[in-house]
Amino acid sequence: MENVLEKIVKQKKEDLKTIKEKISLTAIEDKIKSINNFLNFKKKIINNQEKKKVSLIAEIKQASPSAGIIVKDFDHLKIASFYSENNVTCLSVLTEEKFFLGDLNYISEIKKKFKLPILAKDFFIDPYQVSYSKSFGCDCILIILSAISEKQADEIYVEALRNELSIIVEVHDEKEAEMALKYNEAIIGINNRDLKTLDISLDNSIIIKKKLTSHKGPLVSESGIRDQKDAQYIYDQTGIKNFLIGESLLSTAEPGKLIKDILSITL
């Protein structure tokens, strides 16, 4: 039976084929040259680490395959404004259109109003997507190791470095963690959600962190972090103080309190 990840990647291949037929790499490169508001995503997290501060990558998304519609009256600029006012470190903006109802235009529109580094949260399967996403103003791209071959991951990584973008290499098991170690310049994101079954376990961060002790770049714990207690548990067990949080922030009645709570865990 086809799993959720395979469905998304299959759809992405079809969508990408259409885009490539319409927009040349030359046109993309020209558009990139006209943008002057790029920010250093990785550096902002490293700066926080050096100051012994928590980093919160706050996510903007309307829906997901696991949760369905998360935000009914979705307004990406309103959410970005709220996050900015509450001092989040960076943004993660869903740009996958069919399963998450995302849009790359959200990035360019947010960037015009707010000075926060942005991750284009998508399923990158082709180096073409790197410069294409950068042409909308993103500062960081995502490589999900379970979605692509090692060769594809290598190509996307090299292209992202060429484009001077930050990179999150996402892993969700120990084998992927060992593979991720070769991506020296990347942030490594540990996904607590199994992308094939969508099950969540915070202990994934604890198990996988043991395989990543030699990685010199930042580590981020992603998915399933509901409250301060969860973030504190991950930090106490792993030393990781960088968190990517989406559904919990978007569905809670008090998102401001949750942000404050996460940013004030005991280090």
Side-chain angles (χ1 to χ4, degrees), residues 31-45:
K31 189 179 172 190
I32 289 170
K33 286 171 190 169
S34 71
I35 300 170
N36 61 4
N37 60 358
F38 292 112
L39 300 165
N40 194 323
F41 189 101
K42 180 183 168 186
K43 187 82 164 53
K44 192 157 186 200
I45 292 171

Side-chain angles (χ1 to χ4, degrees), residues 190-244:
I190 304 172
N191 198 339
N192 299 311
R193 188 193 303 279
D194 185 319
L195 291 176
K196 291 170 184 170
T197 65
L198 302 181
D199 294 334
I200 285 177
S201 171
L202 295 183
D203 288 334
N204 219 32
S205 283
I206 296 158
I207 294 161
I208 291 172
K209 164 64 168 65
K210 291 170 185 171
K211 296 286 182 184
L212 298 172
T213 51
S214 65
H215 184 66
K216 292 185 170 57
L219 302 178
V220 176
S221 182
E222 309 171 359
S223 299
I225 301 156
R226 297 159 301 176
D227 50 31
Q228 187 184 52
K229 187 181 168 187
D230 285 347
Q232 190 71 57
Y233 173 72
I234 289 166
Y235 174 74
D236 288 345
Q237 299 294 322
T238 66
I240 294 171
K241 51 182 175 285
N242 311 312
F243 306 100
L244 191 155

Side-chain angles (χ1 to χ4, degrees), residues 2-227:
E2 193 177 40
N3 65 46
V4 176
L5 186 58
E6 284 169 351
K7 280 183 187 173
I8 294 171
V9 170
K10 190 176 175 182
Q11 181 66 54
K12 181 57 64 178
K13 284 176 182 170
E14 289 176 25
D15 293 346
L16 201 50
K17 192 179 171 187
T18 306
I19 294 165
K20 279 180 158 184
E21 285 168 1
K22 289 180 183 173
I23 307 167
S24 71
L25 273 171
T26 306
I28 290 168
E29 296 289 347
D30 287 344
K31 189 179 172 190
I32 289 170
K33 286 171 190 169
S34 71
I35 300 170
N36 61 4
N37 60 358
F38 292 112
L39 300 165
N40 194 323
F41 189 101
K42 180 183 168 186
K43 187 82 164 53
K44 192 157 186 200
I45 292 171
I46 289 172
N47 286 347
N48 273 358
Q49 286 188 166
E50 288 171 351
K51 293 172 187 171
K52 295 187 167 43
K53 287 168 68 177
V54 173
S55 285
L56 174 56
I57 304 165
E59 194 150 87
I60 297 176
K61 65 180 171 186
Q62 184 173 1
S64 76
S66 59
I69 297 290
I70 301 163
V71 183
K72 285 179 182 173
D73 301 316
F74 182 76
D75 182 335
H76 56 289
L77 291 174
K78 192 175 174 183
I79 296 167
S81 177
F82 180 82
Y83 285 159
S84 180
E85 287 164 12
N86 283 273
N87 303 312
V88 305
T89 312
C90 302
L91 300 179
S92 167
V93 177
L94 257 292
T95 59
E96 193 285 322
E97 296 183 354
K98 303 288 192 319
F99 294 84
F100 292 85
L101 307 182
D103 194 322
L104 273 164
N105 286 302
Y106 293 162
I107 293 178
S108 47
E109 289 165 11
I110 291 167
K111 267 298 196 65
K112 283 173 187 169
K113 291 179 176 273
F114 308 102
K115 200 175 179 181
L116 282 168
I118 297 180
L119 163 70
K121 186 85 176 284
D122 210 323
F123 296 79
F124 284 78
I125 59 171
D126 185 310
Y128 173 94
Q129 288 170 277
V130 175
S131 47
Y132 183 61
S133 297
K134 185 176 179 179
S135 74
F136 287 84
C138 81
D139 307 292
C140 184
I141 62 104
L142 182 68
I143 297 175
I144 302 172
L145 291 185
S146 55
I148 51 179
S149 70
E150 189 172 352
K151 182 176 179 287
Q152 285 173 302
D154 290 349
E155 289 171 352
I156 294 166
Y157 176 77
V158 168
E159 184 65 10
L161 290 180
R162 188 186 74 77
N163 272 277
E164 299 180 332
L165 291 169
S166 296
I167 304 150
I168 295 181
V169 171
E170 184 177 289
V171 303
H172 82 284
D173 61 29
E174 292 173 281
K175 187 182 172 187
E176 289 175 2
E178 286 172 4
M179 191 194 306
L181 286 172
K182 70 176 179 175
Y183 303 112
N184 296 324
E185 297 300 318
I187 298 162
I188 297 181
I190 304 172
N191 198 339
N192 299 311
R193 188 193 303 279
D194 185 319
L195 291 176
K196 291 170 184 170
T197 65
L198 302 181
D199 294 334
I200 285 177
S201 171
L202 295 183
D203 288 334
N204 219 32
S205 283
I206 296 158
I207 294 161
I208 291 172
K209 164 64 168 65
K210 291 170 185 171
K211 296 286 182 184
L212 298 172
T213 51
S214 65
H215 184 66
K216 292 185 170 57
L219 302 178
V220 176
S221 182
E222 309 171 359
S223 299
I225 301 156
R226 297 159 301 176
D227 50 31

